[in-house]
Amino acid sequence: MGSVNKVILVGNLGRDAELRYTPGGAAVARLRLATSETWNDKNTGQRQEHTEWHSVDLWGKRAEALQQYLTKGLKIYVEGSLRTRQWEDRDGNKRYSTDIRADRIEFLDGRGEGGGRRSEGGGRNQSSPPDQNPEQGAPDGSPDLTEDDIPF
């Protein structure tokens, strides 16, 4: 059996989506998604909460189309895969960050166009196929992009 790299998250956007373009002209929207879990501490009985922040990248025409609707506080469903990139900080130290490359996004709040549950596929509950197969290179069909091409 092969391997699987799949992420499913449901959470709230921590800020409005930020749309940028690579030097090659590919659109990419960066999202900050918060997921939270709560539990009661066994020792104190106090309610505890932990929030995890995720960086999510949405590529291509969907990034351009959805950017205006992906606003702070919106609850969304995200399917995608993990991508780890390496970069150097200002002091020359190697740093790593792991992001989610979104293949599918659905709006779960009633704040989208027309209200109710809405997917990124134009109002259908199932989204359209991803813009690309991960093995095919860049999302817009242009040559492969490197992590240096991502404008964040």
Side-chain angles (χ1 to χ4, degrees), residues 16-64:
D16 293 354
E18 185 178 334
L19 182 66
R20 300 221 181 142
Y21 293 87
T22 66
V28 58
R30 169 63 56 104
L31 316 174
R32 294 288 292 158
L33 186 70
T35 57
S36 297
E37 61 180 310
T38 58
W39 68 94
N40 288 327
D41 185 279
K42 291 180 182 179
N43 297 326
T44 65
Q46 295 290 325
R47 186 173 176 93
Q48 301 290 317
E49 181 175 7
H50 174 75
T51 300
E52 191 72 34
W53 287 94
H54 311 275
S55 294
V56 179
D57 295 328
L58 178 63
W59 288 83
K61 292 181 182 188
R62 286 183 290 167
E64 292 174 317

Side-chain angles (χ1 to χ4, degrees), residues 47-131:
R47 186 173 176 93
Q48 301 290 317
E49 181 175 7
H50 174 75
T51 300
E52 191 72 34
W53 287 94
H54 311 275
S55 294
V56 179
D57 295 328
L58 178 63
W59 288 83
K61 292 181 182 188
R62 286 183 290 167
E64 292 174 317
L66 294 179
Q67 179 266 335
Q68 65 183 330
Y69 302 108
L70 295 168
T71 57
K72 181 178 180 177
L74 183 71
K75 182 176 283 258
I76 62 172
Y77 168 94
V78 175
E79 275 186 37
S81 57
L82 291 175
R83 301 291 168 119
T84 301
R85 58 188 173 102
Q86 177 183 325
W87 48 280
E88 285 189 17
D89 65 13
R90 291 188 175 124
D91 299 326
N93 300 313
K94 285 186 182 181
R95 302 286 183 177
Y96 298 89
S97 61
T98 301
D99 304 327
I100 291 98
R101 181 179 226 167
D103 295 325
R104 180 178 176 184
I105 290 181
E106 289 190 20
F107 300 129
L108 300 178
D109 278 346
R111 300 187 323 174
E113 233 177 68
R117 185 172 179 204
R118 177 179 161 85
S119 76
E120 41 108 344
R124 296 169 288 156
N125 281 339
Q126 290 188 332
S127 64
S128 57
D131 286 344

